[in-house]
Amino acid sequence: MIFIRDTLTGGALTEATFFILIAVYTPNHGYGIMQFVERETDGRLILGPGTLYGAINLLLKKGWIELISNKDRKKEYCITEEGKKIVEIEINRLNNVLTIAHRITGRVK
Amino acid sequence: MKKFFKVFFSDIEKQEVWLNEMTNKGLRLVKTSNLFYYFEESQSKFLYKVEWAVNKSDDELNEYIAFLKELGINSFRKNFALGGIFYKKRKFDPLSGKTRKSPGNINSELLILEKVNDGKPFEIYTTTDDKISYLKKIRLYYLAYELFLLIMLPLLLLNEPRAGFIESALFMAIFKNLILIIAIFVILLLMISIIKLTTQIRTLKKLKY
């Protein structure tokens, strides 16, 4: 799968993957995820339909998110325990990066 | 309903531009067939994108179309270039050497995506990695066809027209040359596309770091 290489560069998640995981902490559908990412990043990060589709399918395959319902013919996704673990690891990694950067640049966190 | 005869060869972007021009004239795409596009008059404005979907099976394509619908995007299946040659719903694919039976793969190599124009740009792939892997997929397909044609070309040049198939030698010579011209035309078209794609991929790769 082509996307695996993109998602796991040096253990870091891509921004798109990370935001999708956060967007499905409460069950959300494709359109909801798209809007969530755009709103939360003030339009800095926009997920195109092809990118979103690829990322969701990859996360489903990895078992980090799951399909929970099919009501009204709209598919809803929710994060799994495994996915939450991944998010925790990523938060720690980002915190670590920030701490180092703040120390070096002399900015107080 | 307005019917337009239009064939785009390897230039997917040109097709996109044309569809977006039509929407500016107040026309909305309602149906596609091998050689025609059907439009209806519409007050709303739309944005069109053409996606290369040859690597998706019929089931995958249906799933993708359903996903797009949830995002408010309409899609139309469309053939690439003139469409494939098929007999009794079976199409021969020289790339995989298989005959495809699935109706979804017959002449639906492309997917036209339609979104209401909300003033925001319409991009199918928004990360650099996705853009690169998408372009590479198209390039691989073109390269396979190019290779196939380049192998066939010398065979075509060396083979003397066999008598018996059609009696007239003159007719056979014309026939052979006609095929030769078409083959060279397609080889050149593909080559231009491959070079274009390679430049696009290189530009994207430079963006990465």
Side-chain angles (χ1 to χ4, degrees):
Chain A
M1 186 72 192
I2 304 145
F3 297 101
I4 291 172
R5 186 164 26 101
D6 311 341
T7 324
L8 295 168
T9 38
L13 300 178
T14 62
E15 222 183 348
T17 312
F18 189 55
F19 268 109
I20 292 168
L21 283 172
I22 293 169
V24 294
Y25 257 73
T26 49
N28 211 343
H29 46 79
Y31 190 64
I33 296 169
M34 212 177 202
Q35 282 183 317
F36 173 88
V37 175
E38 206 179 319
R39 191 178 62 234
E40 293 295 326
T41 63
D42 287 327
R44 179 180 58 79
L45 184 68
I46 291 170
L47 300 180
T51 292
L52 184 65
Y53 185 72
I56 285 176
N57 274 346
L58 174 75
L59 292 173
L60 281 172
K61 206 178 270 175
K62 280 182 169 289
W64 295 354
I65 63 171
E66 59 188 350
L67 207 58
I68 55 154
S69 70
N70 226 330
K71 63 177 179 195
D72 306 332
R73 284 161 65 208
K74 265 198 174 176
K75 283 181 176 174
E76 275 198 314
Y77 309 91
C78 191
I79 194 160
T80 59
E81 285 308 311
E82 174 84 15
K84 282 182 182 170
K85 258 184 238 164
I86 298 291
V87 172
E88 282 305 315
I89 292 168
E90 183 65 4
I91 290 172
N92 287 336
R93 193 192 67 82
L94 286 170
N95 265 332
N96 182 248
V97 170
L98 265 184
T99 312
I100 298 165
H102 281 308
R103 196 183 70 223
I104 301 298
T105 57
R107 265 212 260 172
V108 186
K109 198 180 168 186
Chain B
M1 192 147 66
K2 285 182 178 171
K3 193 174 168 185
F4 288 87
F5 169 77
K6 199 93 182 165
V7 173
F8 296 94
F9 286 93
S10 56
D11 206 336
I12 292 173
E13 281 162 29
K14 213 170 171 182
Q15 188 167 171
E16 266 174 24
V17 170
W18 183 73
L19 286 165
N20 285 312
E21 272 169 12
M22 296 310 266
T23 192
N24 286 334
K25 287 178 191 162
L27 294 171
R28 180 189 187 177
L29 187 66
V30 283
K31 208 179 101 182
T32 57
S33 69
N34 268 4
L35 302 173
F36 296 97
Y37 294 82
Y38 300 82
F39 292 89
E40 258 172 16
E41 308 229 339
S42 167
Q43 295 297 317
S44 325
K45 292 270 184 282
F46 297 90
L47 286 173
Y48 291 95
K49 274 272 161 190
V50 180
E51 185 175 5
W52 184 260
V54 80
N55 58 315
K56 287 186 171 76
S57 73
D58 187 36
D59 288 343
E60 283 169 340
L61 206 53
N62 279 333
E63 210 176 283
Y64 185 48
I65 289 169
F67 180 85
L68 291 172
K69 199 155 190 109
E70 286 185 13
L71 299 180
I73 297 166
N74 272 329
S75 30
F76 304 87
R77 288 169 179 234
K78 183 82 182 92
N79 56 301
F80 178 61
L82 289 164
I85 300 156
F86 60 94
Y87 174 69
K88 285 187 180 173
K89 290 199 169 181
R90 284 161 202 265
K91 182 189 169 196
F92 181 71
D93 183 2
L95 184 62
S96 54
K98 286 176 196 158
T99 33
R100 289 177 166 186
K101 276 190 284 181
S102 152
N105 288 111
I106 294 166
N107 293 334
S108 64
E109 290 85 1
L110 302 177
L111 204 62
I112 298 172
L113 310 188
E114 179 201 70
K115 196 185 95 166
V116 177
N117 191 347
D118 51 5
K120 290 175 196 161
F122 186 23
E123 291 278 355
I124 301 169
Y125 295 99
T126 44
T127 68
T128 313
D129 282 318
D130 279 357
K131 282 178 193 169
I132 292 172
S133 59
Y134 171 68
L135 293 177
K136 276 187 178 170
K137 243 182 282 175
I138 305 174
R139 190 176 59 176
L140 184 70
Y141 199 80
Y142 285 172
L143 277 170
Y145 263 105
E146 185 79 333
L147 207 67
F148 174 78
L149 286 171
L150 285 174
I151 292 167
M152 292 305 283
L153 197 64
L155 294 177
L156 203 66
L157 286 170
L158 292 172
N159 257 2
E160 275 307 306
R162 213 173 287 162
F165 172 53
I166 293 165
E167 287 305 325
S168 158
L170 176 72
F171 183 80
M172 275 313 290
I174 294 170
F175 183 68
K176 193 184 145 183
N177 282 319
L178 194 70
I179 288 186
L180 199 67
I181 289 165
I182 294 170
I184 290 170
F185 177 69
V186 175
I187 284 173
L188 285 175
L189 259 183
L190 282 170
M191 208 176 276
I192 293 167
S193 301
I194 290 165
I195 293 167
K196 231 192 225 171
L197 284 166
T198 307
T199 338
Q200 280 174 329
I201 291 167
R202 260 193 216 152
T203 321
L204 281 170
K205 273 187 179 164
K206 271 183 205 153
L207 273 178
K208 276 184 79 177
Y209 289 102

